[in-house]
Amino acid sequence: IPQYGRMAARVLIVLTSNDAMGSTDKKTGLWLDEFAAPYYRMKDAGFEITLANPKGGPCPIDAGSLVEAFQTEDTKRYDADEEAKKALASCVPLEKVDISTMDGIFYPGGHGLYWDLVDDKTSVGMIEKMFATGKTVAAVCHGPCCFKNCKTPAGESLFKGAPVTGFSNSEEAAVGLTEVVPFLLEDLIKASGGNFKRKDDWNSCVVKKGNLLTGQNPQSAPEIGTMFVQMVLKSKDAEAPDVPDYE
């Protein structure tokens, strides 16, 4: 990816602190590849990356995302990357982040965020500020759940009238968690006036409208990571290639 602008872009990846699946005895957390794929695209573009979560300290990783079937080039790179592991184990507390210094904000998925980030006022405020100032706001899989309480400057839902995607009802049913999650993301988007876009289960689907970027599932992580980088570069430097709306 070519370098644009004289200053490195600064981006924030917001992660969960929660490893409990609601009131069940199931464990959850971050879905690793939804972090790893975008992280390495940002890193390879020379971005300065801050990792933050509500409590600070470690971000729990969903053990389900560590099984052999879900390993990718990016998760294998992470496995060998002591610097990245250390960063994920020592996240900055969200409230300590100066969001005004960031050029983009990214929310990976995993079920953990349902129970800590969705109603986190600091997170909501950051998303609203980034969106209102035209900075890149992105989320993949369950990540868009974190937009549930976010409003545009006009006071509307961030989803209203926008083409957006996220983990679909059929994918939630396939993993057997329809009755466990506090709400279904597809239903939330539709109820909030969003134009829910999707591809078949477990196929990459990325949707861009203005400075809002969403991905459907873990398979979308590489594509959304690449588009996030392109959007941030464009926002930093008018000479960078355009990133047209996409659905």
Side-chain angles (χ1 to χ4, degrees), residues 144-163:
C145 291
C146 299
F147 302 159
K148 178 176 188 274
N149 298 305
C150 300
K151 300 277 190 273
T152 67
E156 305 276 16
S157 165
L158 216 59
F159 294 127
K160 187 170 181 187

Side-chain angles (χ1 to χ4, degrees), residues 4 7 12 15 22 30 46 52 60 81 99 115 147 154 181 201 209 225:
Y4 291 92
M7 293 172 63
L12 179 67
L15 301 154
L30 165 74
D81 186 344
I99 196 64
W115 291 276
F147 302 159
V181 295
D201 290 1
K209 174 68 173 174

Side-chain angles (χ1 to χ4, degrees), residues 10-14 94-107 122-123 125-131 133 135-136:
R10 301 181 71 179
V11 293
L12 179 67
I13 301 179
V14 182
L94 259 183
E95 58 192 24
K96 296 266 174 72
V97 175
D98 179 0
I99 196 64
S100 67
T101 65
M102 298 296 170
D103 300 302
I105 189 168
F106 189 94
Y107 285 76
T122 303
S123 171
M126 286 178 169
I127 294 164
E128 290 180 341
K129 185 168 185 179
M130 294 293 276
F131 184 80
T133 51
K135 306 279 184 70
T136 305

Side-chain angles (χ1 to χ4, degrees), residues 150-216:
C150 300
K151 300 277 190 273
T152 67
E156 305 276 16
S157 165
L158 216 59
F159 294 127
K160 187 170 181 187
V164 274
T165 188
F167 207 56
S168 65
N169 289 356
S170 54
E171 286 166 320
E172 201 68 80
V175 297
L177 293 170
T178 302
E179 304 303 325
V180 173
V181 295
F183 58 88
L184 292 167
L185 179 55
E186 179 179 335
D187 289 355
L188 169 70
I189 291 169
K190 290 174 175 173
S192 305
N195 180 8
F196 186 76
K197 301 284 182 181
R198 61 162 299 167
K199 295 214 171 117
D200 289 344
D201 290 1
W202 320 119
N203 282 270
S204 179
C205 176
V206 174
V207 177
K208 173 191 179 289
K209 174 68 173 174
N211 59 328
L212 187 66
L213 180 70
T214 50
Q216 181 178 328

